[in-house]
Amino acid sequence: MKVQNKIIYVLIVIFVSYTLLYSGFIYYSISNYAFTDFYKRLEIRAITTAKSQLEHESDVNIIKELRQEYLEELQDEEIRIFPLEGKRNLPLDHDISNYKVSFLEEVLAEGKANYNDNKTYYYGTVYTSTSNKDYLVIVSAENYFITHHILYLRNLLFTSLVIALIIILVVSIMFSRRIIKPINDIIDKVKEISSDNLYLRLSTPKENDDTISKLAQTFNDMLNRLETSFETQKNFISNASHELNTPLTSIIGEADVTLSKIRKPEEYIISLQTILEDAEKLNKKTKALLLLAQTGFDGKGQRFKKLRIDQLILDVIDTCEKINPSNKVCLDFSLLPEHPELLKVNANEALLHLAISNIILNGCKYSDGKPVHVALGVADKEIILIIKDDGIGIPKEEIKYIYDPYFRASNTKNYEGYGIGLPLARNIVKIHKGDLQVSSEANKGTTVKINLAVYGTQLNK
Amino acid sequence: MKKKTILIPTDFSVKSLNIVKSALSINGDCELRILLVHGLELPDSMTDLLLFSKKKLLEELETKEFRASCQMLISKYDSNLIELSVDIFSGYNKRAFENYIEANEVDEIYALADHDFLPRHKSSFDLMPFINKSSTNLIKVKWMSLGENFKQERDELSGIFFNQLSSI
């Protein structure tokens, strides 16, 4: 069964049973009240009639007046008075056979009793006059309220029940749709995401912290991890193939040209030297790639451990210089905190190494041999890492696309690259619950700021 | 350790915190109480004065980067920085400034040699004229940017890095 239908059924059952109980209670108590009230009215009529017919003149007038003035005639009202011989004996009157025997016996035994057959209500009482004679007084009348008003009430309750049912149906359908909608949205959005567009994320409303947005957030975290691992590999493969291809092409070309005809020994020496140079380059590059591979995923999940960020940065700079000896990196540790605990982060060393080295290498690449500046400081449980270069920068209108994979700014035509480094770095920083910001101006350089939480704390954003 | 109180004029730019950095590195052997002072005329309308709150005003004036830089300085110089506080000076003449210095027992004043004041608030004013005339020991420092191309950022966090003390 669909969850939406389930919600509708449950809601309808709850609301209908509640409404039924409620209207049943109203119906029962109103009719109950109507019965007692009507017998009370009959009682008053019985006593006043008996008094007015059986008592002395002087009292009777007032009662008669009162009765005429304040007690209106009931429908089919009939009052019969039978004189009683003894307390227990039924009067011998043929009219008395109109009444139920059990009712008459109850009247004689208890002093008063009542019963009803469908429309007509009977009330009987034993009246003792001032001259100490007993009379059996029986009043019968039709209960107009029960026959008409209660019927009306019942119809009213039934119609309101039907209306309530319709309202409940509409409300529960709307309610269930509202509840289900965000989940359906998430499902639709997740269906859109495939390995081609892993950079897509679910939208998570910031202000509320309910289960749905937590679900979306969890999906996003999962996508972050997925995307990172995808791109680490893509990054590596594309880097590797390209880097290896260039010297290989030149070796093949050189050898081809040399072999095209018989040459003098000097020429062979020169061309072999060129080939050797290229082969050495190739060797250097494979070594660098090996290094890169070592910093990538080990395929066994991400292991987080406590490590010192300053040590990591020194390692990264070492790697960067190994990859390309012409890279110049200036370190500014002037605001390194006194307390070493403030430099510890909970991080996956390989991943964070990859992220920071990507950013520093980017800086080196786009600043044409000018030094890249790296600074580290700790502010209130927050490690701040600033990487600043003097390079070509990013045009202002393109800065919002820099986190899209494979996006390359318009001024990067002269530089090799694949547009993977920065999104990858950002994802890695996100996995570490950190924050990465890029500010840049075309031709003036780029500043990347990475905020990471000190070990054992959370970054407050 | 000797104790010292140092007054530093600030315009709430990250750049001005470089003076704090130099004051701390020069006085490595002293315990320092550093007072960052900003000149600001108090409002003169009745309602503004009634609702005046220094805390709120300071919160309004301090940028996120300024606060982060202050915290970085505090974590760096944890052992010889006793106190780093930000205050507002709102006197009108030299005498008031002298009184302020005396009241806060200021020993030295540090300021940038190439001081370029930028009013943060519409009623901000430059403290340098008072400082120059003051009888307290004034130390001017000069900072040099490390990058060729870097203009020192006023308000960016990187303003406190990538530069060095070139002369006192």
Side-chain angles (χ1 to χ4, degrees):
Chain A
M1 201 189 323
K2 271 164 78 181
V3 180
Q4 190 178 348
N5 295 348
K6 225 183 239 172
I7 292 173
I8 293 175
Y9 294 142
V10 168
L11 276 177
I12 286 179
V13 167
I14 290 171
F15 278 113
V16 165
S17 50
Y18 170 71
T19 325
L20 266 176
L21 208 74
Y22 192 67
S23 38
F25 176 70
I26 286 180
Y27 184 76
Y28 172 75
S29 44
I30 290 280
S31 59
N32 214 14
Y33 170 74
F35 273 92
T36 10
D37 183 58
F38 195 72
Y39 286 128
K40 276 246 160 64
R41 293 168 76 173
L42 290 181
E43 185 183 2
I44 286 181
R45 277 165 184 76
I47 290 168
T48 45
T49 315
K51 267 212 166 41
S52 65
Q53 289 192 5
L54 305 169
E55 297 298 336
H56 293 297
E57 284 285 315
S58 55
D59 304 331
V60 168
N61 279 343
I62 303 166
I63 293 164
K64 259 189 184 160
E65 256 171 51
L66 276 176
R67 202 195 135 107
Q68 265 162 9
E69 218 154 308
Y70 296 108
L71 296 174
E72 88 271 30
E73 188 86 1
L74 293 171
Q75 199 135 18
D76 296 335
E77 185 180 304
E78 196 185 352
I79 302 173
R80 305 292 299 270
I81 301 175
F82 305 98
L84 283 175
E85 299 303 324
K87 278 259 171 201
R88 294 270 149 200
N89 299 338
L90 280 174
L92 300 166
D93 197 314
H94 70 273
D95 281 343
I96 205 135
S97 55
N98 291 342
Y99 307 112
K100 244 164 75 178
V101 183
S102 61
F103 161 68
L104 293 171
E105 275 168 357
E106 204 189 332
V107 173
L108 291 179
E110 304 281 329
K112 58 181 176 185
N114 49 47
Y115 86 99
N116 66 312
D117 60 348
N118 276 333
K119 269 183 174 179
T120 323
Y121 286 70
Y122 300 91
Y123 176 83
T125 185
V126 178
Y127 179 81
T128 314
S129 69
T130 33
S131 51
N132 240 344
K133 278 191 79 179
D134 287 341
Y135 298 93
L136 177 65
V137 185
I138 292 172
V139 187
S140 65
E142 189 191 331
N143 190 344
Y144 184 80
F145 185 83
I146 290 286
T147 48
H148 293 79
H149 292 193
I150 278 289
L151 210 70
Y152 178 71
L153 177 72
R154 199 172 55 203
N155 292 344
L156 194 73
L157 285 176
F158 272 121
T159 24
S160 62
L161 238 156
V162 172
I163 292 170
L165 194 71
I166 293 167
I167 293 174
I168 289 161
L169 200 73
V170 172
V171 166
S172 55
I173 286 172
M174 270 162 46
F175 178 76
S176 62
R177 267 203 202 138
R178 222 185 128 73
I179 290 282
I180 295 291
K181 192 180 169 285
I183 298 177
N184 279 339
D185 286 351
I186 288 177
I187 292 171
D188 290 343
K189 193 82 194 183
V190 171
K191 270 184 193 159
E192 275 176 32
I193 300 173
S194 66
S195 60
D196 297 331
N197 49 8
L198 267 179
Y199 59 90
L200 286 179
R201 289 292 177 273
L202 306 175
S203 59
T204 47
K206 277 228 165 63
E207 65 275 10
N208 59 15
D209 194 29
D210 58 8
T211 322
I212 299 292
S213 41
K214 269 189 192 149
L215 178 70
Q217 192 54 51
T218 317
F219 262 116
N220 281 350
D221 289 348
M222 193 189 72
L223 285 169
N224 277 342
R225 291 196 295 273
L226 258 178
E227 196 191 0
T228 315
S229 63
F230 256 72
E231 261 145 32
T232 327
Q233 281 170 17
K234 267 187 207 161
N235 193 6
F236 178 71
I237 292 167
S238 51
N239 271 332
S241 50
H242 190 91
E243 291 293 311
L244 296 179
N245 210 23
T246 330
L248 263 181
T249 325
S250 112
I251 287 173
I252 292 167
E254 185 72 33
D256 244 4
V257 171
T258 318
L259 288 175
S260 58
K261 61 174 189 182
I262 310 268
R263 288 169 198 276
K264 286 179 207 153
E266 300 88 67
E267 279 175 330
Y268 282 119
I269 290 169
I270 291 170
S271 66
L272 272 176
Q273 269 169 349
T274 328
I275 288 173
L276 184 67
E277 246 170 57
D278 278 328
E280 264 168 4
K281 255 189 217 162
L282 194 63
N283 188 29
K284 219 187 264 173
K285 273 178 182 160
T286 42
K287 271 187 188 154
L289 280 173
L290 207 65
L291 247 161
L292 251 178
Q294 279 163 0
T295 59
F297 272 122
D298 55 3
K300 286 173 192 151
Q302 303 157 10
R303 276 191 297 271
F304 279 68
K305 62 177 189 193
K306 198 171 171 179
L307 53 97
R308 275 186 72 143
I309 187 85
D310 51 340
Q311 186 56 49
L312 184 75
I313 289 170
L314 290 173
D315 286 349
V316 169
I317 290 170
D318 199 35
T319 315
C320 291
E321 277 163 1
K322 260 187 208 159
I323 288 175
N324 189 350
S326 68
N327 289 342
K328 271 183 243 155
V329 182
C330 294
L331 257 180
D332 186 339
F333 276 179
S334 63
L335 282 184
L336 219 56
E338 285 182 337
H339 196 42
E341 273 303 304
L342 288 174
L343 283 168
K344 300 257 168 79
V345 282
N346 186 26
N348 180 302
E349 191 175 357
L351 280 183
L352 205 58
H353 189 284
L354 182 62
I356 297 171
S357 62
N358 254 321
I359 292 170
I360 294 179
L361 284 173
N362 269 352
C364 294
K365 186 162 68 182
Y366 295 118
S367 52
D368 300 316
K370 280 180 242 166
V372 173
H373 295 260
V374 180
L376 180 69
V378 179
D380 195 31
K381 308 286 172 207
E382 188 181 2
I383 293 171
I384 298 170
L385 178 66
I386 298 171
I387 297 152
K388 193 169 151 83
D389 66 60
D390 251 351
I392 56 168
I394 303 163
K396 205 174 178 182
E397 56 277 2
E398 290 173 17
I399 205 148
K400 55 183 175 237
Y401 304 117
I402 55 171
Y403 300 122
D404 294 352
Y406 310 112
F407 171 80
R408 303 205 66 217
S410 53
N411 55 357
T412 58
K413 298 267 159 37
N414 296 331
Y415 302 88
E416 283 173 11
Y418 307 96
I420 294 173
L422 190 60
L424 177 60
R426 192 169 88 128
N427 281 336
I428 291 171
V429 171
K430 265 194 196 162
I431 287 172
H432 290 86
K433 304 248 178 332
D435 193 26
L436 185 145
Q437 287 160 17
V438 177
S439 56
S440 182
E441 221 175 305
N443 300 320
K444 287 237 172 96
T446 308
T447 309
V448 180
K449 204 178 97 191
I450 298 174
N451 294 9
L452 288 169
V454 173
Y455 186 84
T457 59
Q458 285 258 311
L459 211 62
N460 50 332
K461 288 182 182 164
Chain B
M1 256 205 253
K2 235 169 45 181
K3 279 188 184 171
K4 230 192 229 182
T5 304
I6 291 176
L7 183 141
I8 293 168
T10 181
D11 53 359
F12 293 105
S13 62
V14 175
K15 193 183 158 191
S16 69
L17 287 173
N18 278 313
I19 321 173
V20 181
K21 203 168 156 187
S22 52
L24 281 160
S25 54
I26 294 165
N27 297 293
D29 54 342
C30 302
E31 287 191 326
L32 290 189
R33 201 169 77 87
I34 291 182
L35 202 59
L36 290 165
V37 180
H38 184 71
L40 191 100
E41 283 169 31
L42 284 185
D44 41 16
S45 88
M46 189 67 185
T47 42
D48 284 352
L49 269 175
L50 275 173
L51 298 171
F52 180 76
S53 144
K54 197 190 239 178
K55 199 176 153 208
K56 230 184 238 169
L57 185 67
L58 284 176
E59 262 170 28
E60 192 185 310
L61 289 167
E62 289 172 9
T63 59
K64 217 174 81 201
E65 285 78 16
F66 181 81
R67 231 168 280 150
S69 309
C70 283
Q71 281 162 354
M72 279 200 272
L73 284 165
I74 292 168
S75 55
K76 160 78 186 169
Y77 299 100
D78 201 22
S79 59
N80 53 347
L81 180 64
I82 311 171
E83 190 187 343
L84 178 71
S85 52
V86 186
D87 198 13
I88 285 167
F89 173 74
S90 47
Y92 290 100
N93 50 30
K94 190 188 151 228
R95 178 68 57 81
F97 189 68
E98 288 290 326
N99 278 337
Y100 182 82
I101 285 176
E102 206 179 317
N104 287 293
E105 296 168 351
V106 174
D107 299 310
E108 278 170 1
I109 300 173
Y110 278 73
L112 272 183
D114 51 343
H115 181 78
D116 54 335
F117 180 78
L118 205 90
R120 169 78 58 185
H121 192 269
K122 62 180 188 300
S123 48
S124 293
F125 62 87
D126 194 359
L127 282 176
M128 270 328 266
F130 293 144
I131 291 172
N132 283 328
K133 279 187 229 156
S134 159
S135 55
T136 318
N137 188 15
L138 172 66
I139 296 162
K140 288 205 173 185
V141 289
K142 197 171 165 59
W143 282 83
M144 199 180 71
S145 161
L146 283 177
E148 310 155 28
N149 225 347
F150 296 0
K151 58 165 183 37
Q152 274 192 350
E153 279 98 345
R154 289 193 80 88
D155 297 328
E156 288 300 317
L157 260 182
S158 51
I160 198 159
F161 294 111
F162 314 134
N163 46 30
Q164 64 182 19
L165 193 63
S166 64
S167 65
I168 300 172

